[in-house]
């Protein structure tokens, strides 16, 4: 079965750190771009970060740039989101998703998010 | 880039036909996706490329539009279709992708 399973969420105080992981199975992970999206009741769905299939390119939303780091381990079919200096507004359910973006040399063809995990909850509070 | 969905909430009866709208603040060509989210679940891709149904999506779901104006039509609402629907532009991906605020379909 095609599956993404997130883990690592929890309660963390403001200024704290947390590392989320997403385990992929059932598809060719090393060929797939991956994206993190978060959801809060007040702001709906918000794109967080994207990583190229080989890990050489990473992009971030302005709201997390400089605080979050996306990475991947293609040997273990894992994608991670390391979060530093967490704020209350980072409280959300975090989803990982397979991104159908592809690239050929310097040409990037953007794509939709076709597989989603069930999400992991991050709460930032003292 | 701002994606604006309308209406925010729509009350409809099973069996009815419904059309949801999504407007982009600038052209996204046809790089537009629609997702369905049921309570307690992750979003599910319905439509990509503005009009291409994803695998396993019933034919009662259809998408249209290009540039800045898009619609999602559900031809005959089933009970399982009452959910929240989001549009998403990925034209500026992977530098930025943007979601609309969602349209909630409620049972009348």
């Amino acid at each position: 079965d095609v599956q993404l399973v997130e883990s690592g969420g929890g309660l963390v105080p403001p200024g704290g750190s947390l590392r989320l992981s997403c385990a992929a199975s059932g598809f060719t992970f090393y060929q797939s771009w991956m994206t993190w999206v978060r959801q809060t009741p007040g702001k709906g769905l918000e794109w967080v970060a994207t990583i190229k299939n080989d890990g050489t390119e990473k992009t971030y939303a302005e709201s997390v740039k400089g605080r979050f780091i996306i990475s991947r381990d293609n040997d273990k079919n894992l994608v991670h989101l390391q979060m530093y200096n967490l704020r209350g507004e980072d409280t959300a359910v975090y989803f990982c998703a397979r991104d159908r973006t592809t690239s050929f040399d310097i040409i990037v063809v953007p794509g939709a998010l076709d597989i989603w995990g069930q999400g992991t909850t991050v709460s930032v509070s003292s | 880039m701002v994606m604006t969905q309308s209406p925010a909430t729509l009350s409809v009866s099973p069996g009815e036909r419904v059309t949801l709208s999504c407007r982009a603040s600038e052209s996204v060509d046809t790089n537009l996706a629609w997702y369905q989210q049921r309570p307690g679940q992750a979003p599910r891709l319905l439509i990509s490329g503005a009009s291409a149904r994803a695998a396993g999506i019933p034919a009662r779901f259809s998408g249209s539009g290009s540039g800045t104006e898009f619609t999602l039509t559900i031809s005959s609402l089933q009970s399982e279709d009452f959910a929240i629907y989001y549009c998403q532009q990925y034209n500026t991906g992977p530098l930025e992708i943007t979601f609309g605020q969602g349209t909630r379909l409620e049972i009348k």
Side-chain angles (χ1 to χ4, degrees):
Chain A
D1 280 358
V2 174
Q3 197 173 14
L4 294 170
V5 179
E6 301 94 336
S7 60
L11 175 63
V12 60
S17 301
L18 207 57
R19 189 194 198 207
L20 307 183
S21 297
C22 172
S25 59
F27 63 93
T28 313
F29 182 75
Y30 74 93
Q31 293 182 337
S32 301
W33 293 55
M34 298 296 295
T35 286
W36 286 94
V37 173
R38 66 186 181 184
Q39 184 169 36
T40 62
K43 293 187 70 176
L45 294 168
E46 180 188 16
W47 168 70
V48 175
T50 295
I51 186 167
K52 190 178 177 182
N53 61 307
D54 62 6
T56 59
E57 293 180 27
K58 306 171 186 182
T59 54
Y60 299 92
E62 284 298 322
S63 59
V64 306
K65 199 173 288 185
R67 300 187 300 122
F68 289 13
I69 299 173
I70 189 171
S71 63
R72 65 190 296 157
D73 184 338
N74 283 351
D75 291 332
K76 296 181 179 178
N77 286 6
L78 292 170
V79 60
H80 304 289
L81 188 68
Q82 177 68 54
M83 305 183 292
Y84 297 103
N85 192 19
L86 283 160
R87 307 166 179 166
E89 55 264 37
D90 297 318
T91 294
V93 176
Y94 285 73
F95 297 98
C96 70
R98 184 174 76 170
D99 190 318
R100 298 306 280 170
T101 296
T102 55
S103 59
F104 308 91
D105 271 346
I106 63 171
I107 298 173
V108 177
V109 180
L113 308 176
D114 70 339
I115 303 169
W116 294 64
Q118 84 290 348
T120 187
T121 300
V122 173
S123 297
V124 183
S125 175
S126 54
Chain B
M1 175 85 69
V2 177
M3 306 299 293
T4 303
Q5 292 185 242
S6 61
T9 304
L10 200 52
S11 295
V12 292
S13 300
E16 284 187 12
R17 176 187 179 91
V18 64
T19 299
L20 284 60
S21 296
C22 175
R23 173 176 294 178
S25 60
E26 56 191 85
S27 177
V28 299
D29 196 4
T30 57
N31 293 311
L32 189 286
W34 289 94
Y35 300 86
Q36 176 194 67
Q37 188 176 32
R38 296 172 177 145
Q41 296 186 14
R44 177 175 72 142
L45 177 66
L46 298 175
I47 301 284
S48 63
S51 61
R53 275 191 305 278
I57 301 303
R60 64 180 181 273
F61 292 91
S62 63
S64 65
S66 66
T68 62
E69 301 284 342
F70 301 88
T71 59
L72 174 70
T73 299
I74 309 172
S75 60
S76 178
L77 277 166
Q78 306 297 303
S79 57
E80 63 266 29
D81 300 337
F82 291 93
I84 300 176
Y85 292 82
Y86 295 94
C87 65
Q88 175 229 344
Q89 72 81 19
Y90 51 92
N91 191 56
T92 50
L95 296 178
E96 178 194 28
I97 62 176
T98 321
F99 292 88
Q101 80 281 15
T103 292
R104 180 186 300 272
L105 284 187
E106 295 182 337
I107 300 176
K108 183 184 286 184

